Every structure is written in structure tokens, then in C-alpha cells.
Amino acid sequence: MSLPVEIVFGIYLGVITGIVPALVAGTLGFVFKYVTDVTIPGLGVVVLSLAIAGINGGLLALNDEAIRSSERAPAILTAIIVVLMISLYAHAQGDRLGASVPKRISLKQLRDRTLSTDVIELVGGRGRVSVEVAGEVNDMEGYPPLPAETRRAILDGDWTFPADLPLAELEDRFAERLRTELDLADVAVRIDEQARATVSAAPPTGALSKRVPAGKRAVSVSALVPTGIARGDVVRVITPDLRTEGAVLAARSSGKPEPGAAAAPNSPAAGDDPDPDDDARTDGGEDAVASPPAATAPTTTGGEGRVTLALDRSEAATLLRADRGRVLVLSRGTRREYELTALLRRTGKRFRKVSVVAGGPLDGHTIGEAEIREAYDVAVLAARHESWTIAPSGSQSLSAGDDLFVVGSRDALDRFAEVAA
């Protein structure tokens, strides 16, 4: 045969005999790189591939006498070259795959869906995503239809969130934000990888009634109302037959705001509350005149008025028999977390939430082994490995994807975020 024909035959023979060596080389390259992070030398791949190919070639030679002919030297040489090329390529791909596959994969990571990188915007070095409501806002079964104004508010709203959240948590945050800002009774949200949201919502089913805790009754009492009472304050009502405490559901007073100040939402000129269901009619008064919502939280302006409380049934019946009572506002103390935040800020410290990166100095180590405080001058306030741990000890293990709340100076937090998270 001519030399070109021999070369073509050699390529064919190399492909046939090189399949098994390529599979073995690729598998060993992946296993060694994944388990030991060591790359098999090229010489070892050549020797192993030639050995396996020799066995395959020998079996072919037993079945075909023409292969054993000395005139087939060009074809055999070509076959050897093809076998080595296929094997080295398969080994390189297996080695690359072993280096890229994550060392730790949890069921939660497999279940979590994430946003596409095409919809993430970088603002100030942080990623954010604007969720767009796609299509129409659907009504929820078992609830009245959603008002047209609320539909437009959902469709035209600016819904921006951090981009590092899994889609499941992003859906929860979007639904909670809709409930809070639009006072919806129920919301169902589904967001895809392109940040397109499908929303089903139910309109508010009431204002005062939904704030009454289970097992309680809402009762109004006439009294001299202190200035500054807001919804949620805890007050004590004293009558000749009763002395009780309860949370304020609504309040109104007859005092006038100070000159130059905006009318308080609970003054007679503004109604009891921005919500239409919380006007003076809820406590037996006359129709109130609506006004634009105030920028601050609704509070009373002082003077004669009425306060609506949430009380037990027995206390509610007793209070209903009283013409009026005395209202005392009880102290709820100071939020300690705010005190801590203010104290740290006065000393130049800041908070930041970071995530442990794969292959970083924290991945696979405990907080004590990584010496986070000594090496980075930051302190870990909370860590989430499988669940949140407040003030974790040095034995707290960390792995890729864990969230940390750290506190330190701004420069220390920047260094820590660049190196470790």
C-alpha cells in the first residue's frame, strides 16, 4: 500500500486502540486532582497509555494477520502517535475537571437557584438586582380582587435587592416587602433566573381588626391622652373598677400641633391614621377629614381623646362599663442591640456580612485555626454553617458558602473581605 493509505489506516487503528487508554488517563487525572490536588506527570500518562494500547494492539494483531506484517510500520507508528495524543488530551481534561469541581457540595447548594450574572448590577463594589414584575398581578383564590391602584403600585414599583441572595430567599424578601409597604393580606412570589417575578396578591382585609391579637378584644376608652402615643405603645388604663395594661391599636386626641409643624396623623385635622379604616369612626367619633400621610410615624398631639387597646375578654367587658379612665404610658426600655451599634460606631467600628469563599484561608478551618482576630483585626459576631450561631467559639468550623457577621474598622473589614471572603 502507498504511504498515505498507511497513515490513514494508522489513524483508524490509533482511534480504535486509544479509546480505552484515553478513558483510563482521563479518569485517573480527575481522581488524582480532585482527591490529592496532584497532577499526574505526562511521562506517567505516556507509559500507561502505551501499555494499555499495546494490549489492545496485541489483541487486534491476533485477529488480523495483516497488522503483524513488517510492512505496516508507518501505520503502527501513526497509531501510536494518535493514541498518545488522545490519552494526553483526555488526561488534561480530567485534570482540569478535578480542579474545577467543588470539594464540598451540600444538598442545600444543589437545591438553591441563583440569579443569572446578566441581570446583576455593580454599584459601589456590591452587586444588586432590580426585580421586574412580568405580566399582570394575579388575584389570590379566596380573596377579593386586588384594587387597580395596588396593581399599578406593584407593577411600577422599584424593587431592588442584594444580588448575592438565593432565589428562594429573594422571593421571601420580595413578598415580605410587598406585605409591609402595600399592607397586603397575602402574597405569593416566584422569581426566575432573569429576575422576572410572577406575583399573586390579596388586598388588605382590614386595618384595625387584623392588628388585634388572637384571643383579645379591642376596646376604646375616653381619657386625657398624652402627647406622642403611637400604635404599639403599651399603656396602663385605670378606672374605678379596673387597672389593666394593653397595647395601643389606635389613638386620637384633640390637641393642636405646634405652630409651623405638620398636622399629626392622629389630630382631628388629619384623622387617626393614614389607613382609612383607622379614622375617628373606629372609636365612635365623627368622620375625619383625610390629609396626606405624614413623614413620621402617627402619634397623638395630646389632650382629650380616645385610646383603643387590645385586652382579654373579661377586662374588655369591665372597661366597657367605664365612662372614662386615666391613661399612663409604660416604659418598654431601650433596645440593647441599638445601644451596642451606637457604642461600636462611636469607637470607629462597622458591621459587615461576608461569605467564605472556596479555597480561601477560612475554607475547611475553624475560627481558632484561621486566627481571624489576630490575622485580620476583626471579630466574628455570628456565623452560619448549617444554622446561625451567635458569638461562635474558636472551634466553630467554616466552609465555602458560610455566612459571617464581622465587626471591625472599615479598613480591616475591607482587607478581610479581599483576602478571606
Side-chain angles (χ1 to χ4, degrees):
M1 295 185 183
S2 62
L3 182 60
V5 175
E6 290 292 330
I7 293 177
V8 172
F9 182 73
I11 295 175
Y12 165 75
L13 188 63
V15 172
I16 294 298
T17 58
I19 293 177
V20 176
L23 290 176
V24 174
T27 303
L28 289 179
F30 169 78
V31 171
F32 268 78
K33 189 67 176 180
Y34 183 81
V35 176
T36 65
D37 202 22
V38 174
T39 301
I40 300 177
L43 180 60
V45 177
V46 170
V47 173
L48 179 63
S49 301
L50 287 178
I52 299 175
I55 296 175
N56 291 341
L59 295 177
L60 289 175
L62 292 176
N63 295 326
D64 190 352
E65 184 178 352
I67 297 178
R68 300 194 302 267
S69 175
S70 60
E71 299 176 357
R72 294 288 188 179
I76 295 175
L77 181 61
T78 303
I80 293 174
I81 295 175
V82 171
V83 169
L84 293 180
M85 291 176 60
I86 296 176
S87 300
L88 290 174
Y89 177 78
H91 169 262
Q93 295 302 315
D95 188 77
R96 182 181 303 174
L97 182 62
S100 61
V101 172
K103 298 297 188 297
R104 298 173 181 85
I105 302 178
S106 63
L107 294 178
K108 182 178 182 300
Q109 290 174 321
L110 293 176
R111 185 176 63 252
D112 285 344
R113 298 174 297 131
T114 56
L115 290 167
S116 172
T117 55
D118 299 334
V119 299
I120 297 177
E121 304 174 3
L122 289 178
V123 179
R126 287 180 165 271
R128 72 175 187 183
V129 60
S130 295
V131 176
E132 177 185 359
V133 180
E136 293 294 329
V137 179
N138 302 316
D139 296 326
M140 298 199 73
E141 185 176 357
Y143 289 93
L146 202 63
E149 295 79 5
T150 306
R151 294 182 193 272
R152 286 196 299 270
I154 296 176
L155 290 171
D156 300 337
D158 183 16
W159 312 113
T160 303
F161 301 92
D164 57 350
L165 300 174
L167 285 183
E169 185 173 348
L170 189 61
E171 292 169 350
D172 293 340
R173 288 201 184 187
F174 189 19
E176 183 61 29
R177 186 169 171 184
L178 289 174
R179 289 191 190 94
T180 303
E181 296 189 8
L182 302 178
D183 201 23
L184 301 176
D186 197 6
V187 182
V189 175
R190 181 70 175 177
I191 301 177
D192 62 14
E193 286 76 6
Q194 298 299 322
R196 294 188 297 262
T198 302
V199 178
S200 299
T205 56
L208 179 62
S209 59
K210 68 182 180 182
R211 292 198 299 269
V212 180
K216 300 288 185 178
R217 298 292 183 269
V219 182
S220 297
V221 60
S222 299
L224 183 64
V225 179
T227 301
I229 288 185
R231 181 190 306 166
D233 284 339
V234 179
V235 299
R236 177 180 296 153
V237 176
I238 302 174
T239 68
D241 301 327
L242 181 67
R243 184 186 183 94
T244 185
E245 298 175 4
V248 175
L249 301 179
R252 67 185 298 267
S253 59
S254 59
K256 296 182 179 180
E258 296 180 0
N266 294 73
S267 66
D272 289 327
D273 198 281
D275 294 334
D277 290 344
D278 283 344
D279 58 16
R281 287 172 292 182
T282 60
D283 57 17
E286 298 177 352
D287 291 352
V289 180
S291 67
T296 58
T299 58
T300 57
T301 55
E304 286 294 330
R306 292 173 69 85
V307 177
T308 303
L309 307 177
L311 301 176
D312 294 331
R313 178 178 299 184
S314 59
E315 296 177 337
T318 304
L319 186 59
L320 284 173
R321 293 192 293 267
D323 294 333
R324 62 181 293 112
R326 295 169 54 198
V327 174
L328 306 177
V329 181
L330 303 182
S331 172
R332 290 192 294 178
T334 305
R335 298 288 293 273
R336 299 301 181 186
E337 56 268 31
Y338 294 148
E339 286 188 339
L340 174 61
T341 302
L343 178 62
L344 291 172
R345 285 186 177 275
R346 285 199 298 269
T347 58
K349 304 300 181 181
R350 296 293 184 269
F351 291 93
R352 186 173 300 180
K353 180 183 178 182
V354 297
S355 298
V356 178
V357 297
L362 305 183
D363 188 13
H365 299 281
T366 64
I367 294 178
E369 293 172 348
E371 297 182 344
I372 295 179
R373 186 186 295 270
E374 294 79 5
Y376 307 102
D377 196 26
V378 298
V380 179
L381 297 184
R384 181 172 67 177
H385 182 62
E386 294 179 352
S387 61
W388 280 108
T389 302
I390 308 300
S393 63
S395 60
Q396 173 74 41
S397 60
L398 302 175
S399 59
D402 290 355
D403 293 327
L404 303 177
F405 272 106
V406 293
V407 61
S409 64
R410 192 183 301 274
D411 294 338
L413 291 176
D414 292 339
R415 290 194 302 270
F416 179 71
E418 292 176 358
V419 176

